[in-house]
Amino acid sequence: MELYELNLNDVIEGLKAKRFSPSELYASCKQRIDTCEPNIHAFITRTDDTQPQTGNDGGIFAGVPTVLKDNLCTKGIRTTAASRILGDWKPPYDATAWKYLREAGAVLMGKVNMDEFAMGSTCGNSAFGPTHNPHDISRVPGGSSGGSAAAVSAGYVPFSLGSDTGGSIRQPASFCGVYGFKPTYGMVSRYGLISYGSSLDQIGPFARTVRDLQLVMSVLAQYDPMDSSCFREKNPDFTHREDVSLKGKRVALVKEFQDFTLDAPIAEAMTRTRKVLEDEGAIIAEVSLPVVARYAVACYYALAMSEAHTNLERYDGVRYGYTVTDAAGVKEMFERVRSYGFGSEVKSRIIAGTCLTEPSRCDEYYVAATKVRTLIAQEFARAFGETDYILQPVTPSLPHRIGEEDEDEMKVYETDLYTLPVNLAGLPGLSFFTGYAGNLPVGLQLIGPRWSDSGLLDAGVILERHLGSPKIANGGI
């Protein structure tokens, strides 16, 4: 077995036992990147042209390579959010999530591709071109954190970080055949994350085992005074345990989602996973989420686009990033900077957000959406009073080919209903591997109540025990 094939826990144990050195591990990962990157195009900026440097030789991740989604700030290293408007901007500070990893000894191999400002689900809305799925390079890796998922799937690194505003960790994890975890909103500091929707964004990890997710979360889940939404009183325990049990736990299916159409491999994965849960002593139940089913998608887009409009106002060509120097005046400069700097998807969401927050419409749309969001959170809270977890697909379909769009509007709507409500209610969600359909991986998700993150990952350990762990993708070679 090559060193790049090792999962995170095995890497840590191997380095501690001195079975191999950080330099040998680094060289193996770098060679893997050099081999596969022409086919996958996961990177925006590579930093692996130097020998590994660890911030803390005694840290839990000392010498472990990783990559970050390119909306996480890294001091002195280009950070673009996959947009022309940021140009070659190099932040003067680190995102807290990266700061914690760096202090634990992690080594940065580079910044990876994403949909521009995290707006998209294919990793194709990028100023740097699309990323390809490592299992089939003709297909999308999912988005917006497609580069982060592809890098772990292809064996570039044992773990990575992404962000999830409406499924942007869970969906690419499912498409690329890795585990992806969207923590409870507030569990991980958002300081230094370039915002899309500030009340929806959450940083989380990708890895090839659930135990590896637990290791990363044990470092990330710390209170940060730089983020006012970060938890203060919670004390999560992400210790890996083999003696966990699902006996007596209630795992529910959503009543309103049962008539949705699923591709055969996903329907089969749901059936197989239900049997695993029942064999482990879990009780399969049903919950009703009528407010979610009827209003969540419209509510999400009203809030997300309004927040995007506000967050992206700061990109004006004056303070940092791309600018023009030959404009006739400030107005022309703004127009030229934003017209060239933003891609079409970002422009459309800014325009929608501008309309939704316009004074004559604000109460009717944005304010109304905030009230509906409260109802959605309350409905989930009632549901979790009756059940422990909710099981459902991440998407109803396997990844489509690059350049193709899903013309089935109902399936697009159903996909949104599987992912967006989790962010509206600030819940944790685990995207887990279930097997393969031909050469394509199939994933599902398990959702828990707020602050159930450690228990949700414990449940993932049991599912992995029965359903297996993913293999390194061939990377198009």
Side-chain angles (χ1 to χ4, degrees), residues 55-356:
N56 178 4
D57 289 339
I60 184 176
F61 294 152
V64 179
T66 190
V67 297
L68 306 177
K69 186 176 181 178
D70 204 30
N71 59 353
L72 285 158
C73 289
T74 42
K75 184 176 180 179
I77 299 171
R78 183 173 72 149
T79 302
T80 70
S83 180
R84 287 189 296 259
I85 205 162
L86 277 170
D88 290 323
W89 181 58
K90 296 178 180 178
Y93 61 94
D94 283 327
T96 296
W98 167 235
K99 173 177 173 284
Y100 288 159
L101 292 178
R102 178 173 51 77
E103 290 174 347
V107 179
L108 185 64
M109 303 291 279
K111 311 293 289 294
V112 288
N113 204 15
M114 55 183 283
D115 289 295
E116 185 181 6
F117 284 101
M119 299 181 189
S121 59
T122 64
C123 206
N125 297 328
S126 169
F128 300 89
T131 293
H132 301 253
N133 191 313
H135 289 275
D136 180 347
I137 61 172
S138 72
R139 297 180 185 271
V140 300
S144 62
S145 307
S148 300
V152 173
S153 176
Y156 289 6
V157 289
F159 80 98
S160 66
L161 292 191
S163 66
D164 192 312
T165 306
S168 289
I169 288 174
R170 289 162 287 149
Q171 188 240 34
S174 176
F175 280 6
C176 289
V178 295
Y179 292 92
F181 186 58
K182 183 260 174 211
T184 296
Y185 183 82
M187 179 66 77
V188 177
S189 172
R190 293 180 300 108
Y191 180 73
L193 172 69
I194 296 174
S195 297
Y196 164 17
S198 301
S199 72
L200 303 162
D201 301 335
Q202 186 63 94
I203 296 167
F206 294 88
R208 293 191 292 271
T209 71
V210 178
R211 186 173 191 172
D212 291 354
L213 293 180
Q214 292 172 319
L215 285 167
V216 181
M217 285 302 300
S218 70
V219 173
L220 295 182
Q222 303 181 50
Y223 169 65
D224 178 20
M226 299 299 289
D227 177 6
S228 61
S229 66
C230 198
F231 70 90
R232 290 176 177 271
E233 298 177 359
K234 301 297 177 182
N235 187 27
D237 179 10
F238 290 101
T239 303
H240 177 76
R241 293 177 287 271
E242 291 290 345
D243 59 347
V244 292
S245 172
L246 286 172
K247 189 173 183 179
K249 296 289 186 181
R250 294 178 67 85
V251 181
L253 307 177
V254 179
K255 176 183 177 181
E256 287 76 13
F257 296 174
Q258 294 313 297
D259 291 334
F260 292 176
T261 56
L262 302 175
D263 283 0
I266 297 170
E268 189 276 332
M270 285 287 290
T271 300
R272 189 153 40 92
T273 302
R274 283 186 59 174
K275 185 176 187 308
V276 167
L277 292 168
E278 289 172 332
D279 290 346
E280 281 289 324
I283 301 165
I284 303 300
E286 186 176 77
V287 294
S288 181
L289 299 174
V291 176
V292 169
R294 184 170 182 179
Y295 298 112
V297 174
C299 175
Y300 174 88
Y301 281 110
L303 293 173
M305 293 185 186
S306 296
E307 292 184 16
H309 149 73
T310 301
N311 280 322
L312 272 61
E313 281 183 330
R314 71 195 69 179
Y315 301 104
D316 54 15
V318 175
R319 287 165 285 188
Y320 49 82
Y322 170 74
T323 191
V324 295
T325 58
D326 59 345
V330 173
K331 184 174 184 296
E332 182 185 330
M333 183 191 73
F334 285 173
E335 289 177 349
R336 289 173 57 186
V337 164
R338 293 167 74 82
S339 293
Y340 173 79
F342 288 134
S344 59
E345 183 66 28
V346 174
K347 290 175 187 174
S348 68
R349 299 195 189 201
I350 291 172
I351 292 169
T354 303
C355 294
L356 290 165

Side-chain angles (χ1 to χ4, degrees), residues 3 11 15 20-31 47-57 61-66 98 102 105-110 157:
L3 294 181
V11 163
L15 288 170
F20 49 85
S21 69
S23 294
E24 289 172 325
L25 173 65
Y26 190 85
S28 180
C29 290
K30 186 177 186 302
Q31 183 177 26
T47 59
D48 59 359
D49 54 352
T50 60
Q51 287 299 307
Q53 299 294 321
T54 58
N56 178 4
D57 289 339
F61 294 152
V64 179
T66 190
W98 167 235
R102 178 173 51 77
V107 179
L108 185 64
M109 303 291 279
V157 289

Side-chain angles (χ1 to χ4, degrees), residues 306 355-369:
S306 296
C355 294
L356 290 165
T357 55
E358 199 267 335
S360 66
R361 298 187 181 95
C362 189
D363 286 348
E364 183 179 1
Y365 294 104
Y366 177 75
V367 175

